[in-house]
Amino acid sequence: MAGEQEQGMENSCIYKNRNEPVEARIKDLISRMTVEEKIGQMTQIERVVATPSVVRKFFIGRICAAFVECICTGSVLSGGGSVLFEKALSSDWVDMVDGYQKAVLETPLGIPIIYGINAVHGNNNVYGATIFPHNIGLGATRDADLAYKIGVATALEVRASGVHYDFSPCVAVAGDPRWGRTYESYSEDVDIVRKMTSIVSGLQGQPPKGHPNGYPFVTGRNKVAACAKHFVGDGGTHKGINEGNTLTSYEDLEKIHTAPYLDCISQGVCTVMASYSSWNGDKMHSHKFLPTQVLKDKLGFKGFVISDWEALEGLSDPYGSNYRASISSAINAGVDMIMVPFKYEVFLADLMSLVESGEIPMARVDDAVERILRVKFVAGLFEYPMADRSLLDTVGCKLHKELAREAVRKSLVLLKNGKDPKKPLLPLDRILERFLLPELMLMILDISVEGGQLLGLGPVAEPPLVCAYYWQLCSFRKHFSSMLAGTTILDAVKEAVGDKTEVVFEQNPSPDTFAGQDISYAIVAVGEPPYVEGGGDDPNLIIPFRGSEIISSVAERVPILAILISGRP
């Protein structure tokens, strides 16, 4: 009898009926929601403060009201480097995300969360996942089909971890290589950036012909909601200063920095993330003209706009002051979901106060919630809130690794091939036939050094070539020993030349390195240390660790192959 009553109740709820149009389901659900439940949907919190009880029930102390409300959060995320524990597998992530999902499904309305993660070059926070080149490498391939395939593979591995939402791709147009996030940009050429937005369809699925422009689209349980970021002008800041000021006319902002969003929107991108940066002195998170009048009204974007990490704190000076005013400014400007990520109680209390006072109109709240629910319905979360564990076998599979190798091969850039154009140092005809790292080390000089000595040099020859999005990589070696299985340049050289060739390695060579040794060739690996965001801002653009000096000193003695590992041109 109880089951029949439950079934009858479900049939009476339009929003629970998958056969009803999405817009009808949204309208029905919003009509059933309290203000508290609505502002809960606008809240995204970090997993380190999220427990099943927290995502299900926020206790909000309201001004002049001594009671609490039971609501559920709209979203949970893992920030950059936020991993469960050392060597946590995709199955461990599934257990966590499903735990949150079970909790919110027990609330009266049962609105599922959407879990977000920075899978910016593969599902790079998860042990054993396939790692692809960063955007700067993919842009060097000029291969839109490759970007699409990487999107397909990434979506599979993200969904295999139970996650539904990927904060990718970054479609910034990098105007100054001094910018620390240049590696997140496909190119300084807007046409190349626009071409590589094909990754959106890889992540979400290809919209059918006639799909309404700007309407979010996700094609099934093996796809994720994508996020075009960071809107807008993040790659054009003055002197390349991260989170800086983009000084340009509206015409150039539209022609250069806004253009890639047209392609993302036409592919049904579900979300857009606002930029930390400013445009002509005005912060993007509080700039109503751009996210509302341009992105939503002019370009027709129907998904939701999400803030960046703790971005609202940066709207006030000093940082974090007058938080209540920052919430009002951002939401009234058109930001729909706030990446809080930690102080959710303060955020919810302030947001409730702002709504009650009318400083944030109820119409603005309803618009934000409609957009968030639209993405959740389109992504199929109401029908399939729990993870599909059959996808676990796709994580790090052979097919995805081969795709990653293809991307690496195509991303490599030849800067110079010997002093004499008529006598190239590298046998390109052979390299282009089959280009894998160990073979590269043999073919690169077209030599046989069996029984002789090959000099391996350079400060970046030892760390693994693969590089994850890990916050600042404070402990580089320790992290990679636990997170990733990578091949170092030095290991690849040794594998290529075999046991009969002695490989002499020195991290910081000196004239004494050559004393008494019969060395014919050298492979010198130089480049930048790991960094992210503002930590990579570099006003000087000098190769670190004496890179240029090492190359010059070795080149005076023997022919060399110089390998430059860098996050910028």
Side-chain angles (χ1 to χ4, degrees), residues 332-566:
N332 282 325
V335 181
D336 303 305
M337 181 179 283
I338 305 300
M339 193 183 292
V340 176
F342 301 115
K343 53 182 186 182
Y344 57 86
E345 291 129 321
V346 175
F347 170 76
L348 286 163
D350 283 346
L351 179 51
M352 175 61 75
S353 172
L354 287 162
V355 173
E356 288 178 330
S357 68
E359 293 169 75
I360 295 179
M362 200 63 223
R364 173 77 272 271
V365 172
D366 285 343
D367 174 61
V369 176
E370 284 176 12
R371 291 171 176 275
I372 293 163
L373 294 178
R374 183 175 292 125
V375 170
K376 290 185 176 185
F377 279 120
V378 164
L381 294 181
F382 282 82
E383 283 68 55
Y384 303 104
M386 312 308 288
D388 180 357
R389 293 174 186 258
S390 69
L391 297 177
L392 286 169
D393 289 341
T394 66
V395 179
C397 67
K398 182 179 179 181
L399 182 65
H400 291 176
K401 287 180 179 178
E402 288 300 324
L403 181 63
R405 291 188 179 101
E406 177 187 352
V408 171
R409 289 196 298 269
K410 290 182 175 180
S411 72
L412 296 174
V413 177
L414 178 64
L415 300 179
K416 186 178 180 180
N417 193 7
K419 294 181 179 180
D420 186 351
K422 296 181 181 179
K423 298 179 180 179
L425 187 65
L426 309 186
L428 293 183
D429 54 341
R430 291 177 59 197
I431 292 173
L432 292 174
E433 287 176 7
R434 189 163 182 262
F435 206 178
L436 291 174
L437 189 60
E439 287 85 346
L440 162 64
M441 297 307 171
L442 280 178
M443 295 189 296
I444 209 83
L445 297 173
D446 201 16
I447 57 170
S448 172
V449 291
E450 188 173 307
Q453 286 184 318
L454 176 68
L455 181 63
L457 300 167
V460 300
E462 282 193 297
L465 288 176
V466 285
C467 185
Y469 185 101
Y470 188 74
W471 185 254
Q472 299 291 16
L473 287 168
C474 298
S475 180
F476 180 61
R477 290 180 187 277
K478 180 181 178 182
H479 173 66
F480 278 109
S481 67
S482 65
M483 279 293 291
L484 298 166
T487 302
T488 70
I489 295 174
L490 182 61
D491 289 340
V493 171
K494 290 178 178 179
E495 180 182 342
V497 300
D499 296 335
K500 295 182 180 179
T501 299
E502 180 185 2
V503 177
V504 180
F505 171 70
E506 281 204 26
Q507 194 170 45
N508 294 291
S510 67
D512 294 339
T513 302
F514 294 87
Q517 300 193 73
D518 182 21
I519 295 172
S520 301
Y521 298 92
I523 296 173
V524 181
V526 298
E528 297 185 293
Y531 56 78
V532 295
E533 302 190 6
D537 283 0
D538 184 354
N540 300 314
L541 296 181
I542 296 171
I543 300 175
F545 312 120
R546 298 173 46 242
S548 299
E549 179 184 334
I550 292 171
I551 289 174
S552 297
S553 64
V554 176
E556 291 174 357
R557 294 171 172 82
V558 293
I560 73 166
L561 162 69
I563 301 175
L564 176 63
I565 307 295
S566 176

Side-chain angles (χ1 to χ4, degrees), residues 3 20 23-24 30 64 70 95 98 212 277 442 467 471 481 484 532:
E20 292 285 348
E23 294 304 307
I30 285 186
C64 300
C70 177
D95 292 339
D98 277 1
S277 59
L442 280 178
C467 185
W471 185 254
S481 67
L484 298 166
V532 295

Side-chain angles (χ1 to χ4, degrees), residues 214-336:
Y215 201 87
F217 179 82
V218 181
T219 195
R221 297 183 70 187
N222 60 352
K223 297 296 182 181
V224 294
C227 179
K229 63 184 189 183
H230 308 85
F231 191 82
V232 60
D234 50 337
T237 56
H238 183 55
K239 296 183 179 180
I241 297 172
N242 189 51
E243 302 179 20
N245 191 16
T246 302
L247 302 172
T248 189
S249 65
Y250 174 74
E251 288 72 22
D252 282 345
L253 188 76
E254 187 176 50
K255 181 173 65 176
I256 299 170
H257 300 287
T258 308
Y261 290 90
L262 297 173
D263 303 276
C264 295
I265 290 170
S266 70
Q267 295 173 73
V269 72
C270 286
T271 74
V272 170
M273 185 181 292
S275 176
Y276 285 126
S277 59
S278 303
W279 176 47
N280 295 332
D282 294 320
K283 293 276 190 180
M284 205 58 58
H285 275 80
S286 56
H287 203 301
K288 184 172 184 178
F289 171 69
L290 291 170
T292 295
Q293 294 175 242
V294 174
L295 179 63
K296 293 180 177 179
D297 297 342
K298 182 178 179 180
L299 303 184
F301 175 63
K302 296 295 190 296
F304 68 81
V305 175
I306 187 169
S307 80
D308 209 331
W309 178 276
E310 290 187 342
L312 271 60
E313 280 84 342
L315 295 180
S316 300
D317 189 17
Y319 181 87
S321 62
N322 207 353
Y323 190 53
R324 186 177 186 277
S326 297
I327 295 171
S328 176
S329 179
I331 292 177
N332 282 325
V335 181
D336 303 305

